[in-house]
Amino acid sequence: ACGAATGEGAGAADAGGHPVRPPARAAGHDVAYVLFTSGSTGQPKGTLIERDSLRRFAAAVAERLELAAGDRWLQVASLGFDVLIEEVFPALVAGAAVVCRADTRALDAEELHAMIARTGTTVVELSTQYWLEYARWLDARGLTTPAGLRLVVVGGERMDPRPYRDWQARQPARLAHVYGLTECTVSSTFYTGLLPADAREVPLGTPLRDVEISVRRDGRPVPQGEWGEIHIGGPLLARGFLDDAAATARRFVPDPLSAVPGARVYTTGDLGRIDADGNLVFLGRLDDQVKIRGHRLEPARVERALCEDPAVEQAVVFPDPTTGTVLWAFTVPADPERAPLPGEAVRLTAAERDALVAPLEEQLPDWAVPRVLYRVSVLPKNPHGKIDKRRLSDWAAVVTGTAATGTGAGRTVPGSPATAGTAATGDPGHGDEPLSTVLGLFREVLGAPELGPDDDFFERGGQSLIAMRLLARLREFLPSAAGLRASALLRCPTPRLLAAALATAGPQAVTDRPQAAAGPREA
């Protein structure tokens, strides 16, 4: 009776005699969330993160980024992406505000900039490619980040040192380069320093509190400065994979080097080294290694060397698909004037080729130097977001004796829609506007010169970042595209549909709601 009156015990009831469930007592080892990732195989894999790991992670990030009650972190990531955890919980632990958007539609660079300024955002996290789009947009307009923005967290892909240095020289907002995996509770290392002028890589930084980073080869730690596989240990590791004991045992392995009984370590599959300052440096993936003439090679090493040339913006290197004995290199020029038409590959010859190869010959063995080099306007991506090497090979296969003249020189407007791509069946004439312009820009950003007026943007490899680039280009050429949102492409995914909507009623015809939608909310 005493237990029932106080709401305790199995027979507890409220004043009305209704059963009362005893309050749940959450434990640190209880699961906080399960996040599914598909990886390169496309097979969903649920990662189990416990409450104690989440608690420790949130406190460690708040400490590292010096979050305070006055901070306002803009929530940008998809709700199904673990970056959401990093955007929300560290801010709440620090008593800061999480600024939530009124909808989940992708923001282009201009919209992102306006929202940061309007909401007084102090911290924002962007993927590497998204950040590059924003950085380019700021540079093209001679702008700096809004006055209140103090920190931009960037991660997800390898970062080239050049844009990182350019940002640090021009922008007041600091950068934090982050590295982590879902299986280790979002992020494990942060780099927030000024990048030295001679740095050839942007470091991944040093580990958070409660994170243990080691670089090992054949299970043993390597000396500082030498390469090996990155291993992550400590209490932030996930419990494992949902209903997949075999995969859990394969990746979360006992750590023979730890003094803690039962300690585990996660084998990342990433290659790295620890530099002289104690920072972790990413060197690529174990499964990206290739074999050339009997030698194992990490292509990223050659790609980094190519990108040291100021004339090269991006580069990818892989063995030729026919014999596999010679390295091919595809480079994107830093100067758009020198870019070929989308979908074209121009083979480099004579002095231009020698200028790129000579520095590589000084720092790489002969077998690691690319012998066939091409220039392209963009490195195309496949549906998994990886560089589409098969597509690049196809572009190279159609190179003829006249293709080498297509350097881009002499075009009146670099990348203008009038020159974007070759003629396709059913092409409109240049007097058929705005379809001619819209079609040309679709071809340009998708790197698909054969794309037709009725081809679907998403079926041809379009995704959110490419959509942002397309919107920016549309606004440059078509006044009617002012205010156009990325969601417009969901309603009008073909050049013909989008052009017709812009011609009849402007962006309002293809936008889900007016641009002046309800403002952000705080949590």
Side-chain angles (χ1 to χ4, degrees):
C2 181
T6 59
E8 299 174 358
D14 62 16
H18 301 100
V20 174
R21 178 178 296 175
R25 302 291 183 183
H29 62 266
D30 288 342
V31 173
Y33 63 87
V34 181
L35 198 141
F36 284 81
T37 58
S38 61
S40 58
T41 64
Q43 182 64 39
K45 203 167 43 172
T47 302
L48 299 157
I49 302 296
E50 297 180 351
R51 292 173 61 92
D52 188 59
S53 298
L54 176 58
R55 176 186 64 81
R56 289 171 180 267
F57 166 76
V61 173
E63 175 185 85
R64 176 64 64 91
L65 300 184
E66 301 178 338
L67 299 179
D71 276 311
R72 299 166 62 82
W73 194 316
L74 178 61
Q75 198 281 304
V76 174
S78 163
L79 301 186
F81 190 33
D82 67 351
V83 171
L84 171 76
I85 303 299
E86 189 157 84
E87 293 176 319
V88 172
F89 289 93
L92 297 183
V93 163
V98 178
V99 181
C100 301
R101 295 186 289 127
D103 57 60
T104 58
R105 291 177 294 181
L107 299 172
D108 63 27
E110 183 177 353
E111 292 165 337
L112 174 68
H113 185 75
M115 181 164 285
I116 290 172
R118 187 171 68 250
T119 60
T121 290
T122 62
V123 182
V124 67
E125 183 159 0
L126 306 174
S127 69
T128 304
Q129 291 301 316
Y130 194 178
W131 170 78
L132 283 170
E133 290 292 329
Y134 182 42
R136 291 189 188 107
W137 183 86
L138 289 171
D139 288 346
R141 286 154 183 79
L143 297 175
T144 58
T145 50
L149 185 68
R150 70 174 183 85
L151 182 67
V152 181
V153 183
V154 183
E157 294 183 54
R158 177 186 170 269
M159 173 73 72
D160 185 72
R162 189 184 310 142
Y164 201 89
R165 286 194 195 94
D166 289 345
W167 176 283
Q168 291 188 324
R170 301 171 189 170
Q171 301 299 335
R174 292 190 302 124
L175 288 175
H177 194 213
V178 61
Y179 165 77
L181 299 95
T182 300
E183 295 85 351
C184 305
T185 312
V186 195
S187 296
S188 297
T189 66
F190 283 77
Y191 177 75
T192 56
L194 285 174
L195 191 65
D198 60 348
R200 298 173 60 184
E201 283 291 328
V202 180
L204 301 177
T206 55
L208 293 173
R209 174 165 48 91
D210 290 328
V211 174
E212 300 166 7
I213 297 289
S214 59
V215 177
R216 308 182 189 186
R217 200 184 308 155
D218 299 324
R220 294 185 292 275
V222 300
Q224 185 179 58
E226 292 194 13
W227 68 270
E229 183 180 5
I230 299 171
H231 289 60
I232 301 177
L236 267 61
L237 291 191
R239 179 187 296 180
F241 298 119
L242 181 65
D243 298 329
D244 196 338
T248 299
R250 190 164 54 248
R251 301 302 296 271
F252 296 88
V253 301
D255 187 2
L257 304 180
S258 176
V260 179
R264 302 174 303 153
V265 65
Y266 184 74
T267 57
T268 66
D270 291 332
L271 292 171
R273 63 180 178 86
I274 304 296
D275 69 14
D277 296 319
N279 288 303
L280 180 66
V281 177
F282 179 73
L283 298 177
R285 289 281 302 170
L286 275 172
D287 50 17
D288 283 341
Q289 286 190 340
V290 297
K291 200 169 215 180
I292 296 291
R293 288 153 53 185
H295 301 276
R296 299 294 298 180
L297 172 70
E298 173 54 53
R301 178 186 178 192
V302 187
E303 292 161 3
R304 289 193 297 271
L306 283 167
C307 289
E308 289 178 7
D309 190 310
V312 176
E313 178 73 20
Q314 294 175 286
V316 65
V317 172
F318 56 90
D320 81 271
T322 303
T323 69
T325 60
V326 177
L327 283 179
W328 283 8
F330 290 79
T331 64
V332 176
D335 181 2
E337 288 273 10
R338 302 187 65 250
L341 295 176
E344 282 188 2
V346 175
R347 184 162 178 171
L348 306 189
T349 58
E352 185 176 11
R353 175 193 170 279
D354 293 344
L356 280 178
V357 168
L360 272 60
E361 291 177 328
E362 294 179 0
Q363 54 183 299
L364 298 171
D366 178 74
W367 51 267
V369 177
R371 297 304 170 187
V372 179
L373 292 88
Y374 294 93
R375 186 170 64 250
V376 293
S377 61
V378 65
L379 298 180
K381 301 291 184 68
N382 62 26
H384 295 293
K386 305 293 185 181
I387 293 175
D388 194 335
K389 297 173 184 176
R390 177 175 297 180
R391 199 167 172 189
L392 287 170
S393 299
D394 291 342
W395 292 356
V398 299
V399 172
T400 66
T402 58
T405 63
T407 62
R411 279 181 276 161
T412 304
V413 181
S416 67
T419 61
T422 58
T425 303
D427 272 12
H430 292 308
D432 186 2
E433 292 293 351
L435 179 54
S436 178
T437 294
V438 173
L439 176 60
L441 292 173
F442 266 66
R443 291 173 173 173
E444 174 189 315
V445 300
L446 290 171
E450 76 289 351
L451 184 138
D454 299 305
D455 286 340
D456 188 286
F457 176 81
F458 299 99
E459 291 178 358
R460 298 304 298 268
Q463 35 91 346
S464 59
L465 288 174
I466 297 177
M468 292 176 193
R469 194 174 305 157
L470 175 60
L471 294 184
R473 295 290 281 151
L474 284 166
R475 290 173 187 149
E476 290 179 24
F477 290 96
L478 297 173
S480 60
L484 194 66
R485 298 292 301 270
S487 56
L489 288 169
L490 296 174
R491 290 189 168 202
C492 301
T494 72
R496 194 184 306 279
L497 289 174
L498 187 59
L502 290 172
T504 56
Q508 288 74 21
V510 287
T511 303
D512 292 334
R513 63 179 74 176
Q515 192 173 19
R521 305 181 304 277
E522 292 182 15

